[in-house]
Amino acid sequence: MLPRSGSGDRPIHRATGLCPWTGEWSTAKFQVGDAQDLPFPDNSFDIAVMALVIHFVPDPAKAVAEMWRVLGPGGTAAAYVWDYKNAGSPTAPLAAAMRGMGLQAPTPPSPQVTSLTALEELWRAAGFEQIGKRAIDIAVEFADFEEFWQSMTVPVGPAGKVIAAMPPDDLAQLRSVLEQQMVLTADGRVTYEARASAVQGRKKA
């Protein structure tokens, strides 16, 4: 479930090319739509999931309400997302380094809804019951600083696009700040913890 955009169908085309269309997958369908205005009638599904999506939605409350609408009675809605609110994203070290340089760290459109408390409030406001939430701690690991740097500077997502547009001198300074900031293990690896927030709830049967 993603808001419409000029390139919003690219992941769908990629997914359809990779999906093994056999067995239970033979009935799977991919459809581009707007998370805030789903193109499905009421009571259409048993399960609705937003995986690493809700922070990109301009109006998260509207998107969660849409999940509630298209679920049938007793249906389950779930989501998980990096906890940007509490620096839980794998790109948090990059954001910290940019702020240390006096730059504004790029964020997704709705980082305020990524904490456990915020997700629970969204689910409750939409009308879900039996709400459960949990934090998921993830060990992030790179073989060395170079691998970490290459991962952080891929020109995708809010951070990657900003970095791609940085002047060479600023980019070199950012790398230097990160090199000083990151603590390496004895064998040169970069390791740190990221955290995702997960929530689920049921529509009253």
Side-chain angles (χ1 to χ4, degrees):
M1 300 179 183
L2 292 170
R4 292 192 183 97
S5 68
S7 61
D9 60 342
R10 291 178 186 172
I12 298 299
H13 292 161
R14 190 177 301 118
T16 55
L18 295 174
C19 186
W21 295 100
T22 59
E24 62 186 37
W25 290 104
S26 62
T27 59
K29 295 180 180 179
F30 293 87
Q31 183 169 336
V32 178
D34 186 338
Q36 301 159 132
D37 185 19
L38 295 174
F40 306 108
D42 298 356
N43 307 321
S44 296
F45 301 99
D46 297 319
I47 299 173
V49 179
M50 298 181 76
L52 302 177
V53 167
I54 197 166
H55 55 314
F56 289 118
V57 179
D59 190 342
K62 191 172 183 180
V64 178
E66 276 292 273
M67 293 174 74
W68 186 94
R69 180 185 66 79
V70 301
L71 283 172
T76 297
Y80 60 89
V81 62
W82 296 118
D83 188 354
Y84 281 86
K85 187 70 174 176
N86 297 297
S89 165
T91 59
L94 179 66
M98 294 182 74
R99 289 192 296 269
M101 294 172 57
L103 303 175
Q104 183 174 355
T107 60
S110 302
Q112 75 280 0
V113 301
T114 60
S115 69
L116 287 174
T117 299
L119 288 173
E120 181 180 19
E121 290 174 353
L122 280 175
W123 257 241
R124 199 172 305 282
F128 288 106
E129 302 178 346
Q130 301 178 40
I131 299 171
K133 59 182 180 178
R134 61 167 295 194
I136 304 172
D137 292 321
I138 307 293
V140 183
E141 182 174 325
F142 298 92
D144 50 32
F145 181 83
E146 185 61 33
E147 186 178 73
F148 166 77
W149 174 250
Q150 293 300 325
S151 175
M152 292 295 108
T153 54
V154 173
V156 296
K161 291 176 181 178
V162 168
I163 289 173
M166 291 179 71
D169 288 348
D170 288 349
L171 193 61
Q173 183 183 356
L174 177 61
R175 177 174 178 134
S176 177
V177 171
L178 274 170
E179 283 182 307
Q180 297 174 40
Q181 173 183 300
M182 303 307 295
V183 178
L184 304 183
T185 63
D187 58 355
R189 290 178 294 116
V190 174
T191 63
Y192 57 95
E193 292 291 321
R195 172 168 288 194
S197 302
V199 66
Q200 69 174 20
R202 294 191 67 191
K203 185 174 182 178
K204 186 175 181 180

